[in-house]
């Protein structure tokens, strides 16, 4: 069931719609990620704050974060995110809202929503084109799936067009460590980190723990071949196949799921091995989503 909880006086944490979304209230309200549930999230947000919510900002392309973008008048995302944001993955494209024209955002761009200033931070680790959003006004870092209370997944991106297939992870462990160091250098600018799943908000100290975790992996400590956890199991369609060589390494309660062949360089030899069942099937769904979009656009004319 969809529900809302205040994090600050002007920030709402919205759960139960595929991913955790954040409603940034003010003169120009905006939603960070929009989920993919049955409940129309725009209507839910407007009822909550009693004003129009026209804008959504998407952290990354995964359909659990972008499936309702078509309900909004203004959709901000990176160009790379837009390339695969209509890939329906294992969702039925007919139940999604995929008809929208995104406005592309750039690294370090400031989105001024009335008095509220949001800075775009390009990350590209959990998914190609992934961003975080730094809320200068409320001192919150919205991390999407780049940080998580249970596990961060460094998996490949999803197909951007029919016939295309990505198999190497979007980022190596050393790419991810570099991102964490950059964020850690700005730690004075935020008090909380709000994530896309599994409990929010996190304290900025999570950055130190994840950097230590990456250091341990890069120093040769091998993660566990069983990547499962309380919130991630072989029942999930985005759970790695054994032959894709993924590992789960944990430290002080946080985990990273990474490809053992992609510690410092992206794996060269995995070009034909899909990382997960979802990666194996989403090439097909990219074509299906495209067909639904074209049908919607025709009927809108
Ligand atoms: Zn994701």
């Amino acid at each position: 069931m969809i529900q809302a909880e205040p994090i600050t006086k002007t920030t709402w944490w919205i759960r139960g719609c595929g991913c955790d979304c954040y409603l940034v209230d003010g003169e120009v309200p905006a939603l960070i990620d929009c989920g993919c549930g049955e409940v129309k999230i725009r209507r839910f947000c407007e009822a909550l704050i009693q004003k129009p919510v026209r804008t959504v900002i998407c952290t990354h392309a995964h359909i659990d974060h972008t499936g309702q973008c078509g309900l909004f008048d203004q959709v901000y995302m990176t160009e790379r995110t837009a390339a695969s944001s209509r890939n329906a993955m294992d969702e039925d494209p007919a139940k999604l809202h995929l008809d929208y024209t995104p406005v592309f955002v750039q690294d370090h761009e400031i989105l001024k929503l009335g008095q509220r200033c949001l800075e775009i931070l390009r990350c590209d680790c959990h998914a190609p084109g992934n961003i975080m959003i730094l809320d200068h006004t409320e001192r919150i870092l919205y991390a999407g799936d780049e940080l998580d209370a249970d596990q961060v997944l460094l998996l490949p991106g999803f197909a951007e067009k029919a016939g295309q297939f990505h198999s190497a992870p979007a980022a190596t462990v050393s790419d991810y460590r570099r991102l964490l160091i950059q964020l850690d250098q700005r730690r004075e600018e935020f008090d909380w980190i709000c994530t896309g799943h599994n409990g929010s908000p996190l304290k900025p100290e999570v950055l130190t723990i994840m950097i230590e975790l990456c250091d341990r992996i890069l120093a040769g400590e091998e993660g566990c071949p069983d990547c499962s956890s309380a919130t991630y199991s072989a029942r999930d369609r985005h759970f790695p196949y054994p032959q894709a060589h993924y590992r789960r390494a944990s430290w002080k309660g946080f985990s990273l799921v990474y490809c053992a062949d992609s510690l410092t360089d992206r794996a060269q030899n995995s070009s034909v091995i899909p990382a997960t069942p979802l990666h194996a099937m989403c090439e097909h769904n990219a074509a299906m989503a495209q067909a639904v979009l074209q049908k919607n656009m025709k009927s809108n004319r």
Side-chain angles (χ1 to χ4, degrees), residues 60 62 64-65 126-127 130 145 197:
H60 64 292
H62 295 165
D64 55 332
H65 295 253
H126 168 71
N130 207 128
D145 293 353
H197 303 274

Side-chain angles (χ1 to χ4, degrees), residues 59-281:
T59 58
H60 64 292
H62 295 165
I63 204 74
D64 55 332
H65 295 253
T66 57
Q68 297 210 29
C69 279
L71 297 177
F72 292 83
D73 304 328
Q74 196 164 35
V75 179
Y76 288 113
M77 57 177 58
T78 62
E79 190 170 4
R80 187 68 202 272
T81 288
S84 63
S85 62
R86 293 186 187 92
N87 186 326
M89 302 190 196
D90 57 349
E91 301 285 333
D92 176 359
K95 291 184 180 165
L96 300 169
H97 303 278
L98 302 175
D99 187 6
Y100 54 91
T101 305
V103 177
F104 298 144
V105 292
Q106 311 294 336
D107 196 16
H108 299 299
E109 181 174 343
I110 304 281
L111 297 181
K112 279 198 154 225
L113 304 171
Q115 297 292 321
R116 202 152 179 177
C117 288
L118 304 181
E119 182 180 350
I120 303 298
L121 302 176
R122 186 85 188 245
C123 304
D124 292 294
C125 288
H126 168 71
N130 207 128
I131 55 169
M132 292 194 190
I133 298 152
L134 178 57
D135 185 339
H136 289 284
T137 313
E138 291 287 348
R139 297 178 53 83
I140 297 172
L141 181 65
Y142 306 97
D145 293 353
E146 295 279 18
L147 289 164
D148 188 281
D150 205 350
Q151 65 270 306
V152 173
L153 305 176
L154 301 183
L155 296 174
F158 290 97
E160 293 160 8
K161 53 193 174 200
Q164 191 182 23
F165 183 71
H166 300 297
S167 61
T172 65
V173 175
S174 88
D175 292 332
Y176 185 55
R177 183 184 181 280
R178 203 172 305 126
L179 167 67
L180 294 167
I181 298 277
Q182 282 169 9
L183 294 168
D184 195 50
Q185 285 165 351
R186 301 189 62 176
R187 201 197 279 207
E188 294 305 310
E189 297 177 56
F190 49 92
D191 301 319
W192 296 103
I193 297 173
C194 288
T195 62
H197 303 274
N198 300 330
S200 207
L202 303 176
K203 289 187 176 170
E205 286 70 43
V206 64
L207 293 170
T208 306
I209 297 170
M210 293 304 282
I211 291 167
E212 288 171 356
L213 176 55
C214 290
D215 286 340
R216 292 169 74 94
I217 300 167
L218 293 170
E221 194 169 300
E222 176 132 24
C224 178
D226 177 4
C227 297
S228 66
S229 73
T231 60
Y232 190 50
S233 77
R235 286 191 303 277
D236 291 313
R237 279 176 145 167
H238 61 298
F239 191 82
Y241 287 123
Q243 63 269 30
H245 296 153
Y246 278 79
R247 299 284 181 271
R248 179 192 182 89
S250 303
W251 180 240
K252 298 181 180 173
F254 293 89
S255 298
L256 183 67
V257 173
Y258 63 96
C259 180
D261 300 333
S262 294
L263 297 185
T264 55
D265 296 308
R266 298 216 318 160
Q268 301 297 315
N269 62 351
S270 65
S271 57
V272 292
I273 305 172
T276 71
L278 198 52
H279 285 86
M281 72 181 285

